[in-house]
């Protein structure tokens, strides 16, 4: 029994220490009229803006001219239509600029795409065109398939040493690399090309004290990031879940308004900020947000925080 009581007391002490540590991270800001640099007098109501950053991956598939013959000559079905596919691969949330009174939502400039895997588009003049003879598409596909199998045979002969007397060392390596490159070019005529690139999109969100959920943007796998009013896409949501630390650290005091010379301060609440798309939680962080906090009056002698 004594051991159980010790465990419970230790747990309570840990919770109190955690609450105290959290409260120490809360930065109080004055509420009311203040004078800015240059003598401008403004009335300030502290608020927190959040920056939501989405990392999007775009995959572009371009079909080859002989795509419908891929299964016939190689036993593999190739893509038969060009397509683009978008995926949200990561997300991040951070405080943008605490204390600014204005509220607005705006996408930040999109970063320059960073290619991960880039293939040049299929040339208009196909690499298998060796003469001016006109032939049907199927005949051209057959000749391209024959060229691929021929290159594979030659590469095997080189690697197995059939030409060891004339091709060896760096020359053998270079010959194999060139055959590999030619084979890829021919295979692209059947299976097309694929390009993958990643870019980031940023949004500035000012949470509303009256709600805990905001629509950051909308998203479709075939179109990518869309405006919030484009209902063809599914919403990317920002959920803010206040933890009530501010209210516990600065409980309401009915006598606070009677403090002589006291000034009102805004106290942000530690809030779990979660970005989700569908059922997937993309990221979750805890940030201090003034809109979900409390206001307290501090006496002049206590303003040394």
């Amino acid at each position: 029994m004594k051991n159980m009581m010790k465990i419970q007391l230790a747990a309570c002490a840990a919770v109190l220490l955690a609450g105290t540590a959290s409260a120490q991270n809360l930065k109080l800001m004055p509420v009311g009229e203040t004078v800015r640099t240059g003598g401008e007098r403004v009335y300030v109501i502290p608020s927190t803006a959040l920056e939501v950053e989405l990392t999007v991956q775009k995959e572009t598939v371009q079909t080859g001219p002989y795509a419908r013959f891929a299964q016939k000559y190689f036993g593999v079905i190739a893509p038969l239509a060009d397509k683009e596919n978008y995926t949200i691969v990561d997300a991040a949330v951070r405080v943008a600029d605490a204390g600014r009174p204005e509220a607005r939502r705006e996408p930040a400039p999109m970063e320059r795409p960073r290619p991960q895997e880039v293939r040049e588009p299929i040339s208009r003049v196909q690499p298998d065109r060796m003469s001016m003879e006109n032939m049907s598409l199927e005949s051209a596909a057959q000749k391209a398939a024959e060229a691929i199998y021929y290159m594979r045979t030659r590469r095997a002969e080189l690697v197995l040493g059939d030409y060891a007397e004339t091709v060896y060392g760096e020359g053998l390596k270079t010959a194999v690399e060139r055959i590999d490159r030619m084979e890829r070019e021919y295979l692209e005529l059947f299976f097309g090309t694929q390009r993958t690139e990643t870019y980031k999109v940023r949004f500035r969100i000012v949470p509303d004290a009256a709600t805990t959920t905001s629509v950051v943007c909308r998203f479709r796998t075939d179109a990518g990031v869309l405006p919030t009013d484009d209902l063809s896409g599914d919403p990317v949501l920002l959920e803010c879940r206040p933890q009530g630390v501010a209210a516990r650290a600065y409980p309401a005091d009915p006598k606070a308004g009677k403090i002589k010379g006291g000034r009102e301060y805004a106290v942000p609440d530690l809030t779990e900020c979660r970005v989700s798309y569908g059922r997937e939680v993309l990221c979750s962080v805890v940030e201090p947000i003034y809109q979900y906090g409390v206001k307290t009056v501090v006496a002049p002698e206590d303003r040394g925080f």
Side-chain angles (χ1 to χ4, degrees):
M1 180 65 71
K2 291 183 178 180
N3 290 336
M4 182 62 69
M5 291 181 63
K6 289 181 179 179
I7 294 174
Q8 292 176 345
L9 289 173
C12 291
V15 171
L16 289 173
L17 289 173
T20 303
S22 298
Q24 291 175 351
N25 295 327
L26 303 179
K27 181 181 178 182
L28 277 64
M29 292 192 67
V31 178
E33 191 175 80
T34 186
V35 179
R36 289 182 175 176
T37 304
E40 180 186 8
R41 303 181 71 88
V42 295
Y43 192 89
V44 176
I45 301 178
S47 65
T48 303
L50 297 175
E51 181 182 84
V52 179
E53 180 182 87
L54 301 179
T55 303
V56 181
Q57 180 176 284
K58 175 185 176 183
E59 183 183 75
T60 305
V61 175
Q62 181 184 13
T63 58
Y66 306 153
R68 61 193 179 96
F69 303 108
Q71 187 176 17
K72 178 178 180 180
Y73 295 115
F74 300 100
V76 180
I77 298 177
L80 298 177
D82 295 347
K83 66 176 182 178
E84 292 181 349
N85 186 67
Y86 296 82
T87 308
I88 301 176
V89 296
D90 196 14
V93 180
R94 62 183 66 91
V95 172
D97 47 3
R100 290 182 60 176
E102 66 270 25
R104 48 182 199 189
R105 179 187 285 108
E106 57 184 15
M110 187 181 298
E111 291 187 353
R112 182 184 299 276
R114 298 194 301 274
Q116 292 180 337
E117 180 185 353
V118 178
R119 285 290 185 83
E120 293 297 326
I122 298 173
S123 173
R124 292 182 181 274
V125 180
Q126 310 301 349
D128 62 323
R129 189 68 183 265
M130 300 297 182
S131 71
M132 294 184 293
E133 178 186 358
N134 291 324
M135 61 182 67
S136 67
L137 191 64
E138 184 171 4
S139 297
Q142 180 180 352
K143 286 187 174 296
E146 291 172 352
I148 291 172
Y149 287 117
Y150 176 77
M151 283 184 281
R152 290 180 176 180
T153 300
R154 288 301 185 187
R155 180 173 56 216
E157 292 172 346
L158 284 171
V159 173
L160 294 175
D162 291 355
Y163 297 96
E165 295 182 358
T166 56
V167 183
Y168 54 89
E170 287 298 320
L172 175 61
K173 179 181 177 181
T174 301
V176 172
E177 288 177 349
R178 288 181 177 177
I179 292 176
D180 289 343
R181 185 172 65 250
M182 291 175 64
E183 181 185 352
R184 284 197 301 270
E185 292 177 351
Y186 272 73
L187 284 172
E188 286 175 358
L189 298 175
F190 293 90
F191 298 99
T193 58
Q194 178 176 321
R195 181 175 61 190
T196 302
E197 54 189 354
T198 302
Y199 60 90
K200 297 179 185 293
V201 185
R202 297 189 184 97
F203 299 89
R204 184 175 179 274
I205 307 293
V206 180
D208 188 346
T211 182
T212 57
T213 303
S214 302
V215 178
V216 178
C217 64
R218 291 185 178 271
F219 188 85
R220 273 207 339 254
T221 56
D222 61 342
V225 176
L226 301 171
T228 56
D229 58 356
D230 190 338
L231 301 183
S232 66
D234 296 322
V236 176
L237 300 177
L238 170 65
E239 299 176 79
C240 297
R241 301 181 178 183
Q243 300 181 350
V245 175
R248 293 194 295 271
Y250 297 89
D253 185 357
K255 298 180 181 180
K258 300 179 181 179
I259 297 177
K260 186 176 180 180
R263 181 166 185 180
E264 189 176 33
Y265 282 78
V267 184
D269 193 21
L270 294 183
T271 305
E272 181 187 6
C273 304
R274 178 181 297 182
V275 178
S276 61
Y277 175 62
R279 296 184 178 180
E280 181 182 4
V281 177
L282 301 172
C283 74
S284 179
V285 298
V286 175
E287 296 285 0
I289 298 181
Y290 285 97
Q291 291 89 313
Y292 301 119
V294 298
K295 291 184 176 61
T296 186
V297 177
V298 180
E301 62 271 17
D302 295 331
R303 296 182 190 174
F305 47 78

